[in-house]
Amino acid sequence: MTVKQTEDSTLLPTATPARTRAVVRELLRPQKGLAFGGFGLLVLATSVGLVTQPLLGHIVDLVTEHRAPNSLTWPVAALAGVAVAQGVLTALGMSLVSRLGETALARLRELFVERALALPLERVERAGSGDLNARVTRDVSRVADAVRGALPELARSALSIVLTLGALALLDWRFLLAALLAVPVQAHTARWYVRNAVPLYASERIAAGAQQQQLLDTIGGARTVRAHRLQDGHTGQVTARSRAAVELTMRGVRLVLRFYARLHIAEYIGLAAVLVTGFLLVRSGSASVGTATAAALYFHSLFGPVNTALVLLDDAQSATAGLARLVGVVDEPVPAKAEQADLPTPDPSVTLTGVSHAYLPGRPVLHGVDLEVRPKERVALVGTTGAGKTTLAKLVAGLHSPTAGRVDVGGAGPEAASRLVGLVTQEVHVFAGPLADDLRLARPDASDEELREALTAVGALGWAEALPEGLDTVVGEGGHRLTADRAQQLALARLMLADRPVVVLDEATAEAGSSGARLLDEAAERALRGRTALVVAHRLSQAAAADRIVVLGDGRVVESGTHAELLAAEGAYATLWHAWSGSRSPAEAGP
């Protein structure tokens, strides 16, 4: 079960505490050996360390009884042995516990990425990239820090507290009662902190996501912001979101300071009670000075683990809030995948029946579109801005599900689109890493020769081999930067390697300038050859070369036919063609 974070349910969900705990148990279940081994070694290390206080108490008794100096030899040697044994056992135990946490975290990351990539595009767009980005960065980072630092320390501290209280009871049950006087204050402090910290950290995560979304919107639309002189408004929005995030952070700082102050009061109460108890027991002869010393040292040794455990509540609550947001994405439902047996023939058609789509309720972008793309037919989509071309292309590619109607790829339904349809858009991404690895994203088992064939087909082999290290050259972020037209060629080469029978090009050659336009058009032509294709045409020369042209207007099909037929009809396409070709040279306009 998950809960939404806003009333309109636009943000991705956050898991309930019960569901978060259940997922943690599922992640840890396969690692039982590591869990038992790690915690077993920590129990042994803590037990060995508890011998230190009685040995120090024994030394005190030897001194108060005026024993010979050589009587201190074996207690001191024993202290050294205890220190070595405890250090070795603690290191081994902490390493196993850390390995347990890292293994579980790695699996959680895999589940998160797998589910995030499978989410419908409209779901991610509705939540906003800032929300998902904050989960990928801040939330994952908080959980990772907790797993690497807080989890091992918290486990060791909890074991130390339990075993030390048991050792106090073995010395004298009255020492244990005295020490427990601090517990009510500590328990009240912990409950008070958790009650205030959980909603505070959840709000802080939401505010951080909103802040990041605003920054992304402002930076991503910087050209539009400057063109319309909206800098002051966007700066004010960024400032407001940032101020809200800072205020929540400062509330957290004040909460932690008050938390520490209450812990110091508990320490004072407990230590004073143990010292008074020791004084009374020694005066009555019920305990030796050494025993009272050991009891005081035991309680003093609790300062570290108790404070560590309670202070780690800060990290734990922060990590828990982040973990719940990650689990919320992991639990988000995704469309079911089609079975392999449902795949159609190698040359599928694409059929849209009564397709309508709206990103926002009551504001449809497409209205009852009927369209059939026959096997190996190339259909160009044209129309003015806002006509619905890109939306239609995304529906065919399976990135969106239609609000009404049906999209069939070879009669297999929209579920088969992920395996049958290849999509290249105007905005392509060059992944950081060797160029060969970027290409193999489309076909992991592709040989070097197959990579070169794909690059040759799109006219990119020349510049690819001219890179400093050829296909092994690191490209993308932190590496060799590719120009827009070369990035598009790379995307088309990936399309060739993927070898999908249906191809959707959404203005895939629009980024090229006039010098690179013809090169990209030729590359696209080779990539589409022999495939069923739907092309959102940026340049009408691409439409003219298609088998059929479909003109969209206000989300509806207004014309359909060949280039010659539509020119002869003197309708919407003819108007677009004359306006487009009249502003270009014959070489640019094409046929």
Side-chain angles (χ1 to χ4, degrees):
M1 291 290 293
T2 57
V3 294
K4 300 294 183 182
Q5 294 182 354
T6 60
E7 292 182 358
D8 59 359
S9 300
T10 56
L11 293 183
L12 292 168
T14 296
T16 62
R19 177 56 186 159
T20 303
R21 291 192 295 270
V23 170
V24 170
R25 288 193 296 270
E26 292 170 9
L27 292 173
L28 295 179
R29 189 174 294 120
Q31 310 298 326
K32 290 181 179 179
L34 277 177
F36 285 123
F39 286 103
L41 286 172
L42 288 180
V43 169
L44 187 58
T46 303
S47 301
V48 170
L50 292 176
V51 179
T52 301
Q53 288 82 356
L55 285 174
L56 291 173
H58 180 64
I59 291 174
V60 170
D61 284 338
L62 292 177
V63 173
T64 57
E65 293 171 5
H66 303 290
R67 298 290 184 89
N70 58 6
S71 63
L72 299 177
T73 302
W74 78 264
V76 172
L79 283 173
V82 166
V84 173
Q86 185 183 21
V88 172
L89 293 171
T90 299
L92 291 174
M94 293 284 279
S95 65
L96 290 181
V97 172
S98 297
R99 184 178 174 186
L100 170 67
E102 289 289 351
T103 303
L105 177 62
R107 180 56 184 155
L108 176 63
R109 280 184 176 137
E110 292 170 359
L111 291 173
F112 178 85
V113 171
E114 179 182 342
R115 186 54 54 91
L117 292 176
L119 287 176
L121 182 60
E122 63 263 25
R123 183 67 186 94
V124 177
E125 290 177 342
R126 191 165 66 247
S129 56
D131 182 39
L132 186 59
N133 195 35
R135 298 181 193 232
V136 172
T137 54
R138 292 193 180 189
D139 292 333
V140 170
S141 178
R142 292 292 179 91
V143 175
D145 290 343
V147 165
R148 291 168 186 150
L151 176 63
E153 284 296 331
L154 194 58
R156 189 163 69 97
S157 299
L159 290 173
S160 297
I161 292 168
V162 173
L163 295 178
T164 301
L165 292 175
L168 273 172
L170 289 176
L171 289 179
D172 193 296
W173 61 272
R174 286 164 288 194
F175 284 126
L176 176 60
L177 289 181
L180 291 179
L181 289 177
V183 172
V185 179
Q186 292 168 332
H188 179 269
T189 299
R191 285 198 302 271
W192 167 83
Y193 180 75
V194 171
R195 185 173 62 251
N196 289 277
V198 170
L200 178 60
Y201 284 121
S203 299
E204 185 184 357
R205 292 292 167 275
I206 295 173
Q211 178 193 29
Q212 203 152 20
Q213 179 66 52
Q214 186 61 55
L215 287 171
L216 289 172
D217 289 345
T218 300
I219 295 172
R223 292 182 180 178
T224 303
V225 170
R226 287 195 296 267
H228 294 278
R229 303 185 184 277
L230 301 175
Q231 293 95 324
D232 292 342
H234 275 261
T235 301
Q237 291 175 359
V238 170
T239 301
R241 297 286 175 88
S242 300
R243 183 179 294 114
V246 170
E247 288 177 355
L248 286 171
T249 301
M250 293 309 300
R251 281 177 56 190
V253 171
R254 290 192 292 270
L255 184 68
V256 170
L257 291 176
R258 294 168 64 189
F259 176 64
Y260 286 147
R262 297 188 182 199
L263 289 184
H264 294 325
I265 295 173
E267 291 174 358
Y268 173 79
I269 292 172
L271 184 57
V274 169
L275 290 175
V276 170
T277 301
F279 171 76
L280 295 176
L281 291 177
V282 170
R283 189 173 68 173
S284 66
S286 300
S288 67
V289 174
T291 300
T293 301
L297 291 174
Y298 269 137
F299 186 81
H300 190 273
S301 70
L302 283 174
F303 286 8
V306 168
N307 286 349
T308 297
L310 293 177
V311 167
L312 284 177
L313 284 175
D314 181 58
D315 293 335
Q317 293 306 316
S318 180
T320 300
L323 182 62
R325 282 161 55 82
L326 297 179
V327 173
V329 174
V330 170
D331 283 348
E332 181 77 347
V334 297
K337 293 182 179 179
E339 298 294 333
Q340 190 69 29
D342 294 334
L343 291 179
T345 59
D347 298 322
S349 61
V350 177
T351 305
L352 285 77
T353 307
V355 169
S356 298
H357 188 71
Y359 295 103
L360 297 174
R363 300 176 63 181
V365 179
L366 295 176
H367 309 266
V369 174
D370 294 314
L371 175 64
E372 181 181 1
V373 183
R374 294 183 292 274
K376 296 188 177 181
E377 182 185 24
R378 186 180 310 177
V379 172
L381 289 178
V382 301
T384 58
T385 301
K389 305 185 298 296
T390 293
T391 299
L392 185 59
K394 288 180 177 179
L395 291 173
V396 173
L399 297 183
H400 290 314
S401 297
T403 306
R406 181 174 175 82
V407 178
D408 284 318
V409 180
E415 299 83 4
S418 62
R419 296 196 301 276
L420 294 176
V421 182
L423 172 68
V424 178
T425 66
Q426 179 178 349
E427 298 177 358
V428 298
H429 183 72
V430 178
F431 294 88
L435 179 63
D437 290 352
D438 196 302
L439 289 167
R440 286 194 175 97
L441 289 171
R443 193 197 301 172
D445 59 348
S447 65
D448 289 346
E449 185 58 33
E450 288 172 324
L451 299 185
R452 289 186 172 85
E453 288 177 1
L455 290 170
T456 300
V458 298
L461 183 62
W463 64 256
E465 290 188 331
L467 294 174
E469 297 178 42
L471 299 188
D472 293 327
T473 302
V474 174
V475 296
E477 192 69 28
H480 186 90
R481 290 299 185 93
L482 299 182
T483 60
D485 55 337
R486 289 184 175 182
Q488 290 287 0
Q489 285 180 294
L490 184 61
L492 291 171
R494 285 200 296 257
L495 185 68
M496 297 285 290
L497 288 167
D499 197 23
R500 302 291 171 84
V502 180
V503 173
V504 176
L505 298 187
D506 183 8
E507 299 188 354
T509 62
E511 287 292 334
S514 59
S515 60
R518 186 170 297 278
L519 180 63
L520 278 183
D521 282 344
E522 292 173 355
E525 168 68 26
R526 288 188 287 269
L528 297 179
R529 193 170 297 155
R531 293 179 170 86
T532 306
L534 188 67
V535 180
V536 177
H538 172 71
R539 289 182 295 277
L540 292 188
S541 58
Q542 297 171 305
D547 299 321
R548 183 157 50 100
I549 300 167
V550 172
V551 183
L552 293 180
D554 294 326
R556 295 178 172 86
V557 176
V558 295
E559 282 187 315
S560 178
T562 65
H563 174 71
E565 291 170 347
L566 294 182
L567 284 182
E570 297 185 354
Y573 177 76
T575 301
L576 290 173
W577 174 262
H578 293 310
W580 180 81
S581 60
S583 63
R584 284 161 172 78
S585 66
E588 290 178 311

